[in-house]
Amino acid sequence: MKMIIGLGNPGKPYEHTRHNIGFDVIDELAKRFNSPLNQMKFKGMYTIIHRPEGKVLLVKPLTYMNLSGECIVPMMDYFEIAEEDIVVIYDDLDLAVGKLRLRQKGSAGGHNGIKSMIQHLGTQEFNRIRVGVDRPPAGMKVPDYVLSRFKTDEKPLVDEAITKSADACEVWLSSPFLEVMNRFNGA
């Protein structure tokens, strides 16, 4: 079984904000697989998809970003999923809007959701898809920026990034993550 995790914050005020790009990718995958996230466990919404490659768990932690690990690790334990069988999708301030960066390990880079994941997993070695949201304009605080919505001219780039992230997740179901990285990095 594999697990695809999108990081974000629950609730209407946070929908489609920069910080919720991970949730948006999970929504795209749920739509593709015709499998809404309608189950709850360990402070998270999820669905199980049966694919030729095996079962896939799509997950949105409902713990708010800073506590994402509190949801994911118990779910991994319950479904007996190893670190190498997860991929985490989240926003990245250091990448231009819409750019992707796939990695197999690394630090949190200041991202509180990833800090929580690393703390609860006890390792920095897990697959991730970072989706660029760019830096805030001068004078705007980072928390305000990541909780803002994308500008109209950014929307096509964001939509393409969501599509490509979902594509990368689908390819990962039947290919090693290293191959997926080679194919999608910088997209």
Side-chain angles (χ1 to χ4, degrees), residues 106-149:
S107 71
H111 194 285
N112 290 331
I114 296 301
K115 280 183 194 169
S116 177
M117 292 288 302
I118 290 169
Q119 177 189 355
H120 286 270
L121 281 170
T123 183
Q124 294 184 359
E125 295 191 20
F126 54 90
N127 303 321
R128 40 191 100 183
I129 299 175
R130 297 164 32 203
V131 183
V133 298
D134 216 347
R135 286 251 160 224
M140 188 175 199
K141 294 180 179 165
V142 169
D144 295 333
Y145 179 72
V146 296
L147 296 178
S148 71
R149 289 185 169 73

Side-chain angles (χ1 to χ4, degrees), residues 3-11 20 22-23 26 37 40-46 58-73 75 87-89 113 116-117:
M3 180 189 278
I4 302 171
I5 304 142
L7 299 187
N9 288 312
N20 271 35
F23 275 18
I26 294 296
L37 279 74
M40 297 276 294
K41 195 179 285 298
F42 306 114
K43 303 178 194 172
M45 289 176 57
Y46 72 97
L58 299 181
V59 181
K60 287 183 186 179
L62 300 179
T63 53
Y64 290 92
M65 184 67 79
N66 298 356
L67 303 173
S68 298
E70 287 182 12
C71 164
I72 300 308
V73 173
M75 206 172 274
V87 65
V88 182
I89 306 154
S116 177
M117 292 288 302

Side-chain angles (χ1 to χ4, degrees), residues 6-89:
L7 299 187
N9 288 312
K12 273 261 186 248
Y14 303 106
E15 283 181 5
H16 310 298
T17 60
R18 294 171 191 275
H19 223 20
N20 271 35
I21 195 97
F23 275 18
D24 293 337
V25 175
I26 294 296
D27 289 341
E28 171 64 21
L29 287 165
K31 188 173 81 179
R32 287 183 187 191
F33 297 144
N34 194 24
S35 186
L37 279 74
N38 56 10
Q39 298 180 69
M40 297 276 294
K41 195 179 285 298
F42 306 114
K43 303 178 194 172
M45 289 176 57
Y46 72 97
T47 187
I48 298 174
I49 298 153
H50 300 271
R51 300 265 308 175
E53 304 92 342
K55 290 181 188 172
V56 182
L57 203 61
L58 299 181
V59 181
K60 287 183 186 179
L62 300 179
T63 53
Y64 290 92
M65 184 67 79
N66 298 356
L67 303 173
S68 298
E70 287 182 12
C71 164
I72 300 308
V73 173
M75 206 172 274
M76 288 173 65
D77 291 344
Y78 181 82
F79 288 105
E80 299 178 356
I81 298 172
E83 284 93 1
E84 62 267 17
D85 291 325
I86 70 169
V87 65
V88 182
I89 306 154

Side-chain angles (χ1 to χ4, degrees), residues 130-185:
R130 297 164 32 203
V131 183
V133 298
D134 216 347
R135 286 251 160 224
M140 188 175 199
K141 294 180 179 165
V142 169
D144 295 333
Y145 179 72
V146 296
L147 296 178
S148 71
R149 289 185 169 73
F150 292 96
K151 295 183 283 188
T152 305
D153 63 328
E154 294 173 322
K155 204 66 181 102
L157 297 170
V158 172
D159 291 343
E160 186 179 348
I162 290 168
T163 298
K164 286 185 177 174
S165 296
D167 291 347
C169 290
E170 280 198 76
V171 171
W172 175 62
L173 299 180
S174 59
S175 302
F177 196 74
L178 193 59
E179 284 180 26
V180 181
M181 285 171 55
N182 291 336
R183 181 167 162 189
F184 286 91
N185 256 331

